[in-house]
Amino acid sequence: MGKIQLITKGFVKENPTFSLLLGMCPTLATTTSAINGMSMGLATLFVLVLSNMAISAAAPYIPDKVRIPAYIVIIAAFVTILQFVMQAFTPDIYETLGLFIPLIVVNCIVLGRAEAFANKNSVVDSACDGLGIGIGFTFALTLLGLVREILGSGSAFGFKFISGDGILVFVLAPGAFMALAYLIVLFKKVTAKKGE
Amino acid sequence: MAVQSSFKNMTLCLFAVCIVSSALLAAVYAVTKEPIEAAEHAKTANAIAQVVPEFEGDPVPGTVTVDGKEYSYYTVNKGGKPAGYAIMTSSVGFSGPVSLMVGMTADRVVYSTTVLSQAETPGLGAKCVEPEFAGQFKNLDPAAKSLKVKKDGGDIDAITASTITSRAYTKAVEIAVSVYDAIVSSAAQEESAEVEAASGIPQNE
C-alpha cells in the first residue's frame, strides 16, 4: 500500500467511527458541538500519530508478553504531554474537553492501531496510518458535532442562526446515539454506491 | 513480536519505557509550568475584574472559614478602603460542581457573578453562563430578594428544564453572601482589637 492510500483508507474504508465503530465513548460524549468534536478529534489525532510512531520504533525491542503495558505507558505519556500543552496554551478548550483528554489513554482506537498496525509496520507507514485514522476520526466527530449542534442548539460552529432553542434532545446523550445511527446509515449508503 | 519474553527482559523493557516516558514528561512539565500558571492567573484576575466594581492596585487574596469549610476570596481596594470582595464558591449542580466567582460590594450587594467552571449539560444547564440567567444576580441586594429559585419560593427565574443547575448557581451565590458576612465580621473584630490595643487600656491583668 502506498502512503497516500494509508492515509485515505482511514478516512473512508476504515473510518474509525463510521466503519470500525471504535472509540464510541468519546465520540458520543464530546460531540455536543462542532468545535468540541473537532478539538477532541484533533487531540486524538495528535496522540495517535506520535504513539504510532513511537510504538512502531520500539516494537522490535519489546518482549511479547509485556507489550500491552509498554504501549499503554507510551500512550499515557503522550496524552499527558498533550494535557500539559493544552492546559498551557488553549485553556478554554482544555476545560470543555476536561475529563475526556486523559481518557484518550484508554481510547480503543489508539491502542487498536498500535496493536493492529504500528507494531508490524515501519515508522513512516505507522505515522501515515495514524494520520489517516486521526483525520477520519476528526472528520466523523466534527460532522456528528455539527449535526447535533444544528439540530440541538440551532447554531453551527458557535454561530447561532435561529433564536431560542433547538431540539434539545440532540445535545443530550440519547440524541448522540440517534444522530450517530443516522450518520452511519448515510455513510454506509454513500460508500456502498462507490462499489466498495 | 521479535523478542522472546523472559523475566529479565520484560522487567528491563518496562523499566526503560517508564524511565524514558517520565523523563519526557518531566521535560514537558518544566516547559509548560509557567504558561499554565500564567493562564490560571490570568483567568482568576479576569474573573475578579468582571465581578467587582472598579478598584486600584492588586486584589489581595485571603481565606475565611464558614461552617467548617474554607473559602478563598480576594479583597479589592479603592482609596485605601475595601471596595468589594470577589468570593470563590461552588455548589453541586446536575453533573458536577458549579464554581462561581461572586463579587460583593462593600455595602453587601452582589455586584456580579461569573462562572469559573461547570460541566452542566450543553444547551440546558450550561446556559447558566448566559446573561439571561446570570444577569439576575447583577446588583442584587440579598436583603431585598430571596436567593432561591421561584419553584422554591424565591425570586430567581430558573433556566427552563434546568432547575437543578439554577438551584446550584443560586445556592453558590447564597453561600457567597454568608462568606461575605464572615469576612466583614472578622474584619470588624480585627479592627476593634486594634482599637483596644491602641487605646492602651490594660485588660484583665
Side-chain angles (χ1 to χ4, degrees):
Chain A
M1 254 196 279
K3 307 273 179 276
I4 304 293
Q5 265 172 308
L6 275 177
I7 297 178
T8 54
K9 80 162 197 284
F11 198 74
V12 183
K13 199 168 139 224
E14 289 185 22
N15 188 299
T17 307
F18 294 141
S19 232
L20 305 178
L21 300 184
L22 287 177
M24 288 290 112
C25 170
T27 304
L28 293 168
T30 60
T31 54
T32 49
S33 72
I35 299 276
N36 285 359
M38 195 168 77
S39 327
M40 185 65 196
L42 291 176
T44 313
L45 170 81
F46 171 85
V47 173
L48 201 51
V49 172
L50 290 179
S51 72
N52 254 7
M53 286 166 73
I55 287 169
S56 93
Y61 311 102
I62 298 175
D64 210 20
K65 278 185 187 162
V66 291
R67 66 179 195 282
I68 300 292
Y71 296 169
I72 287 288
V73 172
I74 293 171
I75 295 167
F78 284 121
V79 170
T80 316
I81 289 173
L82 174 76
Q83 210 178 339
F84 284 148
V85 172
M86 285 183 79
Q87 221 173 338
F89 302 109
T90 57
D92 292 338
I93 300 177
Y94 175 76
E95 235 161 65
T96 330
L97 296 179
L99 178 69
F100 291 96
I101 297 294
L103 279 181
I104 295 177
V105 178
V106 287
N107 187 326
C108 44
I109 297 173
V110 183
L111 191 62
R113 292 328 287 177
E115 183 66 6
F117 194 93
N119 68 2
K120 326 182 178 62
N121 288 282
S122 74
V123 175
V124 180
D125 281 0
S126 302
C128 291
D129 177 75
L131 195 63
I133 296 279
I135 292 171
F137 190 60
T138 309
F139 165 73
L141 258 60
T142 312
L143 189 66
L144 184 57
L146 187 64
V147 169
R148 290 180 65 190
E149 197 184 343
I150 289 173
L151 293 174
S153 326
S155 58
F157 289 97
F159 298 107
K160 229 165 154 55
F161 54 76
I162 60 159
S163 58
D165 297 327
I167 312 164
L168 275 180
V169 71
F170 279 100
V171 278
L172 302 175
F177 283 95
M178 282 190 259
L180 179 64
Y182 282 110
L183 281 179
I184 291 172
V185 171
L186 210 66
F187 186 81
K188 293 281 180 207
K189 196 168 161 60
V190 172
T191 48
K193 264 189 194 157
K194 278 187 190 162
E196 292 253 347
Chain B
M1 306 274 155
V3 193
Q4 253 319 299
S5 310
S6 69
F7 181 75
K8 204 175 131 197
N9 73 9
M10 285 195 288
T11 322
L12 271 176
C13 166
L14 282 183
F15 181 71
V17 167
C18 289
I19 285 280
V20 173
S21 304
S22 7
L24 205 62
L25 279 186
V28 174
Y29 176 75
V31 173
T32 54
K33 195 168 174 252
E34 267 178 42
I36 290 176
E37 273 168 11
E40 267 166 20
H41 186 78
K43 208 185 140 202
T44 317
N46 196 3
I48 294 170
Q50 271 177 33
V51 297
V52 293
E54 258 184 84
F55 60 93
E56 293 155 356
D58 286 327
V60 187
T63 55
V64 68
T65 311
V66 177
D67 295 335
K69 250 183 106 179
E70 204 180 56
Y71 295 93
S72 6
Y73 67 94
Y74 295 85
T75 313
V76 293
N77 297 301
K78 192 175 185 186
K81 274 185 169 175
Y85 303 92
I87 302 157
M88 289 158 89
T89 61
S90 76
S91 177
V92 180
F94 186 69
S95 39
V98 175
S99 301
L100 301 184
M101 181 75 89
V102 180
M104 301 278 301
T105 61
D107 42 5
R108 201 170 183 269
V109 168
V110 178
Y111 186 76
S112 187
T113 58
T114 185
V115 176
L116 291 174
S117 73
Q118 53 90 11
E120 301 303 291
T121 320
L124 290 172
K127 276 199 264 180
C128 66
V129 301
E130 286 171 18
E132 272 170 14
F133 177 75
Q136 298 182 79
F137 298 99
K138 274 213 163 97
N139 294 319
L140 179 141
D141 184 356
K145 283 202 168 177
S146 159
L147 272 173
K148 285 214 160 57
V149 294
K150 283 196 171 151
K151 219 178 191 171
D152 303 338
D155 289 317
I156 304 297
D157 276 318
I159 307 162
T160 315
S162 310
T163 311
I164 297 175
T165 309
S166 312
R167 265 189 201 134
Y169 200 111
T170 314
K171 176 90 188 148
V173 176
E174 205 185 355
I175 294 171
V177 174
S178 58
V179 171
Y180 169 85
D181 291 339
I183 297 169
V184 171
S185 72
S186 74
Q189 265 173 21
E190 262 170 44
E191 216 165 85
S192 67
E194 269 170 35
V195 170
E196 270 166 22
S199 62
I201 302 164
Q203 299 198 337
N204 298 343
E205 271 194 50

